[in-house]
Amino acid sequence: MMSTKAFTLVSAVEWELLAGDKERVHIECVECCGKNLYVGTSDCVVYHFLLEERALSTGTATFSATKQLHRHLGFRKPVNELRAASALNRLLVLCDNSITLVNMMSLEPVPSGARIKGAAALALNENPVNGDPFCVEVCIISVKRRTIQLFLVYEDRVQIVREVSTPEQPLAVAVDGHFLCLALTTQYIILNYNTGFSQDLFPYCSEEKRPIVKRIGRQEFLLAGPGGLGMFATVAGISQRAPVRWSENVIGAAICFPYVIALDDEFITVHSMLDQQQKQTLPFKEGHILQDFEGRVIVATSKGVYILVPLPLEKQIQDLLASHRVEEALVLAKGARRNIPKEKFQVMYRRILQQAGFIQFAQLQFLEAKELFRSGQLDVRELISLYPFLLPTSSSFTRSHPPLHEYADLHQLTQGDQEKMAKCKRFLMSYLNEVRSTEVANGYKEDIDTALLKLYAEADHDSLLDLLVTENSCLLTDSAAWLEKHNKYFALGLLYHYNNQDAAAVQLWVNIVNGDIHDSTRSDLYEYVVDFLTYSLDQELVWKYVDWVLQKSEEVGVQVFTKRPLDEQNSFNPDRVLTCLKKYPTALARYLEHLVIDRRLQKEEYHTQLALLYLDRVLQQRSGTGSEAAETTDTQLKLQHLLQKSDLYRVHLLIDRTRGAGLPMESAILHGKLEEHEEALRILVHELRDFAAAEDYCLWRSEGRDPPYRQRLFHTLLAMYLQPGPAAPELAVAATDLLNHHAADFDAARVLPLLPGSWSVQLLRPFLTGAVRNSVHARRTTQVALGLAKSENLIYKYDKMKLKGSSVQLSDQQLCQMCQNPFCEPVFVRYPNGGLVHTHCAASRHTNPSSPGPGART
């Protein structure tokens, strides 16, 4: 058990002030109402004192008592109990089994002489059920066996209300509304005197210990239970609080929230109602009275009266925090809510949570500290300020006063232990990362993000780059100096970029790639710079570094132009780009491919330039191998594809360049572009002996053309195959393959006379079968078309007959529906809707379709 100083014991009334030299007289009971203190003695005297309280700077107080008067009640018995009814200005005095009403100020009995006789003990109902404000409800234990009586007490009279029988003799009573909490001879019970229902609580032995029954709040009582336990019970007969453990021989108990105070023969003990722990022990011998009056706790011996002065709860909490007893402090702070105004409590409780958080933080209990910081809505700069140099130099933050902790900085907190400092920094990184996007960061995001950047940079943390490439509030000046100090130049470039200083960022990265400064963050930094320039909107910046990126790698560097977003490509003039790329042939070729193939720009200059570039490269490759029969290269395939697909390049220029260059395929394609099909096919058939290429040529050149054009090409190729010569047998085989594979592309009537008589029908079976099938299909298709035309003609004839079958009446009074003039002769045009017009009006309408008319058809 760790002690807490919750109360101080101060003297209120010394014996000399009370009874002077009367040694045999002793104090029997006390009552306190506001500043009025009443003391009943064994010689049947009631004393009235006026208490004056003087607060001390330590948070406690002292009391001085001024004797007002005293009065002997006229009995020879001691004063057993005193109860003040301030609403009536009456003091109820129990003496010699009789309750007398006396004036609170003069101590004179009421003139009517009203009193309650036969009372062994009394209790006031502090939760009255009677609605009359000018009376009090009094419950007494009657001298009659096993009887409780209830009275209404007025200023000058008393009225009995109810008499209740109990199963055993009652020894102590407390009342709340209709409920009586009774200590009987062997047990405690709850009794509803209105309904008669009783509820047993728990047993006890009255011969062994003195019973205690005390009302502590609405419908709740405190009882002295077995085994030295202070038990709580509600009127429903249940306990909503855990019991407190006090002395076996407890004499009295009092409540001063959140504490239960118990008195025994030697000590006053203080127990928390919140965690049931004993908090304080005060030596106090010969005490026999302990009572609380509206928050004021009074304890008395037979010779003196003392007051237990509670220390302010806030001071108690601070003392607990100073002892690092965080849990106890928080429990006490929560319990104090009922005694402190809401706004004041919230301010106080937040500060306590923050202080507790720093205590846990200093003990490296980071999870607990984080929850306390968040619950206490800590200004996170309080935490950052513990770490030297993390707050920006421009920050106006000053620590809370009075301070939330006792540490100057992290070095003092960890006593220089590097491992502890590292743990603290890791915690701060985690905590700042969590709170930077929450309401906790409102108003000082710059301080948080700058501190987080510094921590990441110092720890070489991967999250540094994530912070800089997302939305952040890092201050440029502080952050830049810190990143440079820790050689984080790539991250510094990201910081410059975020602050719209792209030129500084790129120059920094270029220096890293060139080796002028060292930073190994990215091994692909060159590619990153190219990608950055590709998406940059700053044309001046791109042109400044384009030579640098191309000198490093033409293939990669040209991407600043070729991979630029489509909506940005038009901002770079292709002619200017081409001029720039003349020094870089590989990049030039790739950019021209981008213009011609990717963007499909229809400009002769680009197509011709790309074709010439391919051609020069092919010729260069061929000269390098020293053979004109070298295998077809990728570049040559690109050239052939471009020559076939493009119609924009200068064909004559390329023919001149390919003449005599040993490029027959390219020459054939170029002749085909000039519609010089015989020359093109001659090259393919006689020079290259590539019969498949010749067939492909016919298909390529006839693509999108009418069937007769396609037929002419295939007939030209067939005629070339059938020409006599040394290669006639090989060409004959090619001719039969051509006919059999493309039967639909030949006119069989023209082909058959050309074929040698030695060729068998079996040899040409596929061709002949296809020719017959095509002929039959054509005839049947023609017959179907003719039939459809005849049907349509018949429909029109039928419509005409229907129109002629109806009569039309025409008079000189009828008007033309177009010109609104009368008909002068019986010649007219009739529309399907029945409208009649002049013949010349109908003719003008057909020559001018926009003219209004009565119908769409005649």
Side-chain angles (χ1 to χ4, degrees):
M1 178 193 70
M2 298 184 70
S3 63
T4 301
K5 188 174 182 181
F7 295 89
T8 56
L9 186 64
V10 298
S11 175
V13 179
E14 297 290 345
W15 180 249
E16 289 76 11
L17 180 64
L18 185 65
D21 56 355
K22 298 179 181 179
E23 290 294 335
R24 295 183 179 181
V25 176
H26 55 267
I27 297 171
E28 290 288 336
C29 58
V30 295
E31 171 70 319
C32 185
C33 182
K35 292 185 177 182
N36 299 294
L37 175 66
Y38 300 92
V39 178
T41 63
S42 58
D43 59 350
C44 200
V45 177
V46 176
Y47 293 85
H48 179 203
F49 297 92
L50 199 62
L51 284 177
E52 290 294 335
E53 181 178 358
R54 186 166 63 89
L56 301 178
S57 60
T58 57
T60 60
T62 60
F63 289 87
S64 59
T66 306
K67 183 176 178 180
Q68 302 299 299
L69 69 149
H70 68 278
R71 187 169 300 280
H72 193 280
L73 299 180
F75 299 100
R76 293 185 177 182
K77 298 291 182 70
V79 178
N80 301 115
E81 292 190 52
L82 295 171
R83 292 290 183 270
S86 57
L88 308 177
N89 192 32
R90 295 292 180 262
L91 185 68
L92 281 67
V93 183
L94 175 60
C95 180
D96 194 19
N97 295 332
S98 178
I99 300 175
T100 305
L101 304 182
V102 302
N103 187 286
M104 287 183 66
M105 297 297 108
S106 66
L107 300 182
E108 290 284 348
V110 295
S112 65
R115 66 179 57 197
I116 300 172
K117 297 181 179 180
L122 82 152
L124 298 186
N125 190 349
E126 296 179 28
N127 182 21
V129 294
N130 179 25
D132 189 347
F134 299 105
C135 72
V136 294
E137 298 177 15
V138 179
C139 174
I140 71 166
I141 299 175
S142 175
V143 293
K144 294 170 60 177
R145 286 187 56 78
R146 298 188 296 179
T147 302
I148 297 290
Q149 292 179 326
L150 292 109
F151 290 85
L152 294 180
V153 177
Y154 297 87
E155 282 188 0
D156 56 358
R157 63 188 177 92
V158 297
Q159 176 185 339
I160 187 167
V161 177
R162 177 120 8 142
E163 186 171 287
V164 181
S165 296
T166 59
E168 297 177 1
Q169 177 61 31
L171 303 177
V173 63
V175 60
D176 183 285
H178 289 110
F179 295 95
L180 303 176
C181 185
L182 297 168
L184 304 180
T185 309
T186 62
Q187 64 177 341
Y188 290 100
I189 68 168
I190 296 287
L191 174 64
N192 186 326
Y193 69 80
N194 190 45
T195 64
F197 177 78
S198 67
Q199 170 76 46
D200 294 344
L201 297 178
F202 50 84
Y204 85 104
C205 181
S206 60
E207 296 178 358
E208 296 180 2
K209 63 190 306 179
R210 177 179 174 181
I212 294 176
V213 180
K214 181 170 183 59
R215 180 184 182 272
I216 65 170
R218 187 176 180 82
Q219 298 188 343
E220 188 174 15
F221 303 94
L222 173 64
L223 315 171
L229 293 178
M231 307 287 288
F232 298 93
T234 67
V235 294
I238 61 175
S239 179
Q240 296 177 329
R241 306 176 195 266
V244 296
R245 181 170 293 279
W246 56 28
S247 170
E248 287 279 358
N249 54 345
V250 67
I251 298 170
I255 296 293
C256 183
F257 191 85
Y259 297 111
V260 174
I261 304 159
L263 174 67
D264 62 22
D265 296 332
E266 296 185 347
F267 299 100
I268 299 171
T269 54
V270 180
H271 309 262
S272 172
M273 297 171 66
L274 305 173
D275 61 8
Q276 293 73 51
Q277 300 299 312
Q278 183 174 327
K279 301 297 182 181
Q280 187 178 7
T281 302
L282 296 168
F284 192 76
K285 293 185 178 182
E286 299 181 358
H288 70 107
I289 299 172
L290 174 61
Q291 286 180 267
D292 58 85
F293 307 93
E294 299 175 351
R296 179 174 290 168
V297 181
I298 294 180
V299 62
T301 65
S302 60
K303 299 297 183 181
V305 179
Y306 303 86
I307 295 178
L308 281 172
V309 181
L311 268 68
L313 282 175
E314 192 166 354
K315 185 175 190 319
Q316 295 182 44
I317 293 167
Q318 293 302 323
D319 289 344
L320 289 171
L321 290 174
S323 303
H324 294 179
R325 292 157 66 183
V326 173
E327 291 301 325
E328 292 181 68
L330 293 177
V331 169
L332 182 56
K334 289 177 185 176
R337 181 179 315 195
R338 59 185 282 181
N339 296 338
I340 301 176
K342 182 177 179 181
E343 291 185 4
K344 181 180 179 182
F345 171 78
Q346 288 177 342
V347 173
M348 180 195 79
Y349 190 59
R350 279 199 297 267
R351 178 176 173 82
I352 292 167
L353 288 171
Q354 294 168 10
Q355 290 177 280
F358 277 107
I359 291 170
Q360 298 285 37
F361 175 74
Q363 296 173 351
L364 307 186
Q365 301 295 321
F366 297 127
L367 286 177
E368 294 83 353
K370 179 172 72 172
E371 287 307 312
L372 290 167
F373 288 152
R374 296 183 73 167
S375 302
Q377 301 175 20
L378 175 72
D379 181 342
V380 72
R381 295 175 297 177
E382 288 279 1
L383 183 58
I384 298 173
S385 67
L386 275 174
Y387 298 71
F389 310 115
L390 287 194
L391 279 175
T393 54
S394 59
S395 176
S396 58
F397 171 76
T398 55
R399 288 186 180 177
S400 174
H401 184 78
L404 296 173
H405 53 82
E406 58 188 11
Y407 306 106
D409 55 27
L410 192 63
H411 191 273
Q412 179 190 349
L413 186 147
T414 60
Q415 297 181 348
D417 188 317
Q418 294 299 315
E419 184 178 351
K420 289 183 179 180
M421 291 180 71
K423 289 180 179 179
C424 291
K425 289 178 179 179
R426 285 196 294 271
F427 164 72
L428 183 60
M429 276 191 277
S430 171
Y431 184 61
L432 294 182
N433 189 50
E434 286 184 26
V435 304
R436 63 185 296 264
S437 57
T438 66
E439 293 182 359
V440 176
N442 289 348
Y444 34 85
K445 286 198 68 172
E446 291 179 348
D447 293 352
I448 292 176
D449 283 0
T450 303
L452 191 57
L453 176 141
K454 291 179 178 180
L455 287 167
Y456 283 156
E458 185 179 17
D460 195 21
H461 201 281
D462 294 340
S463 298
L464 173 63
L465 304 184
D466 296 332
L467 173 67
L468 291 170
V469 298
T470 55
E471 183 180 354
N472 67 80
S473 301
C474 299
L475 289 174
L476 179 61
T477 306
D478 275 63
S479 301
W482 194 272
L483 291 172
E484 192 169 352
K485 173 185 175 183
H486 291 86
N487 297 325
K488 297 296 179 183
Y489 296 107
F490 174 72
L492 179 55
L494 294 177
L495 179 67
Y496 283 142
H497 168 57
Y498 188 82
N499 286 275
N500 300 315
Q501 298 185 19
D502 287 356
V506 175
Q507 184 59 59
L508 201 60
W509 295 332
V510 167
N511 291 342
I512 297 173
V513 176
N514 290 341
D516 299 333
I517 53 180
H518 178 70
D519 184 348
S520 58
T521 302
R522 291 192 69 131
S523 58
D524 61 341
L525 184 55
Y526 165 72
E527 288 78 6
Y528 180 88
V529 174
V530 171
D531 191 60
F532 182 87
L533 293 173
T534 300
Y535 291 92
S536 174
L537 302 179
D538 187 346
Q539 289 194 36
E540 184 179 345
L541 182 66
V542 175
W543 285 116
K544 179 179 179 180
Y545 290 99
V546 71
D547 282 320
W548 179 82
V549 297
L550 289 169
Q551 288 167 7
K552 290 288 181 183
S553 170
E554 292 186 36
E555 292 84 353
V556 177
V558 74
Q559 293 175 7
V560 298
F561 300 119
T562 60
K563 288 193 174 182
R564 186 165 291 277
L566 289 177
D567 56 343
E568 290 295 323
Q569 288 185 2
N570 294 330
S571 60
F572 281 83
N573 187 324
D575 294 333
R576 182 181 178 186
V577 175
L578 290 171
T579 302
C580 171
L581 296 179
K582 284 182 179 179
K583 298 179 290 183
Y584 311 101
T586 302
L588 178 62
R590 180 65 197 93
Y591 183 68
L592 285 168
E593 289 173 348
H594 171 69
L595 296 178
V596 172
I597 300 171
D598 300 338
R599 293 180 61 184
R600 299 181 181 180
L601 296 184
Q602 304 298 304
K603 192 170 182 180
E604 174 270 323
E605 180 184 352
Y606 302 152
H607 289 248
T608 301
Q609 192 172 356
L610 180 58
L612 290 173
L613 201 63
Y614 283 156
L615 181 58
D616 290 342
R617 190 175 294 177
V618 170
L619 295 176
Q620 186 178 2
Q621 291 171 350
R622 283 178 168 271
S623 64
T625 60
S627 170
E628 292 189 0
E631 293 184 2
T632 304
T633 62
D634 290 341
T635 305
Q636 191 169 358
L637 291 175
K638 289 181 180 180
L639 173 60
Q640 293 171 5
H641 184 268
L642 176 64
L643 295 178
Q644 281 187 331
K645 298 299 181 182
S646 174
D647 294 323
L648 296 176
Y649 55 84
R650 294 165 59 188
V651 180
H652 290 286
L653 175 62
L654 288 168
I655 284 183
D656 292 340
R657 293 288 299 273
T658 56
R659 188 175 290 116
L663 298 173
M665 180 62 75
E666 288 76 5
S667 298
I669 295 172
L670 291 170
H671 282 294
K673 287 289 184 178
L674 295 175
E675 298 293 321
E676 297 174 355
H677 303 306
E678 289 190 12
E679 178 61 20
L681 290 172
R682 184 195 66 77
I683 295 172
L684 295 173
V685 173
H686 294 295
E687 289 189 23
L688 287 176
R689 287 285 196 273
D690 191 340
F691 306 130
E695 289 184 31
D696 291 341
Y697 175 86
C698 294
L699 296 173
W700 164 56
R701 290 309 299 159
S702 61
E703 187 176 354
R705 308 295 285 269
D706 55 12
Y709 185 91
R710 186 186 188 95
Q711 203 173 73
R712 284 197 302 273
L713 281 177
F714 277 98
H715 276 275
T716 301
L717 178 57
L718 179 63
M720 195 166 293
Y721 283 158
L722 296 176
Q723 287 177 358
E730 184 182 1
L731 295 178
V733 174
T736 57
D737 289 342
L738 180 67
L739 289 170
N740 289 333
H741 292 151
H742 299 278
D745 296 319
F746 287 96
D747 182 353
R750 288 177 54 195
V751 170
L752 290 175
L754 299 177
L755 300 179
S758 59
W759 287 13
S760 66
V761 173
Q762 185 65 29
L763 182 66
L764 295 173
R765 182 180 176 182
F767 166 69
L768 295 173
T769 302
V772 171
R773 183 182 292 113
N774 291 337
S775 177
V776 172
H777 175 71
R779 184 170 69 86
R780 289 176 178 172
T781 302
T782 303
Q783 288 175 341
V784 170
L786 179 62
L788 291 172
K790 286 181 178 180
S791 298
E792 186 178 12
N793 184 269
L794 186 62
I795 292 171
Y796 278 113
K797 283 183 178 181
Y798 173 73
D799 289 344
K800 184 176 181 182
M801 289 298 294
K802 282 177 64 178
L803 293 173
K804 285 185 176 182
S806 59
S807 62
V808 177
Q809 292 184 355
L810 183 66
S811 69
D812 57 0
Q813 301 299 320
Q814 200 161 357
L815 301 178
C816 171
Q817 290 194 5
M818 291 188 68
C819 69
Q820 301 300 313
N821 291 321
F823 290 93
C824 299
E825 53 184 353
V827 180
F828 60 86
V829 174
R830 181 178 182 276
Y831 284 93
N833 64 358
L836 303 179
V837 299
H838 292 117
T839 54
H840 59 271
C841 289
S844 67
R845 180 177 180 275
H846 284 292
T847 56
N848 183 14
S850 62
S851 302
R857 290 174 55 197
T858 59

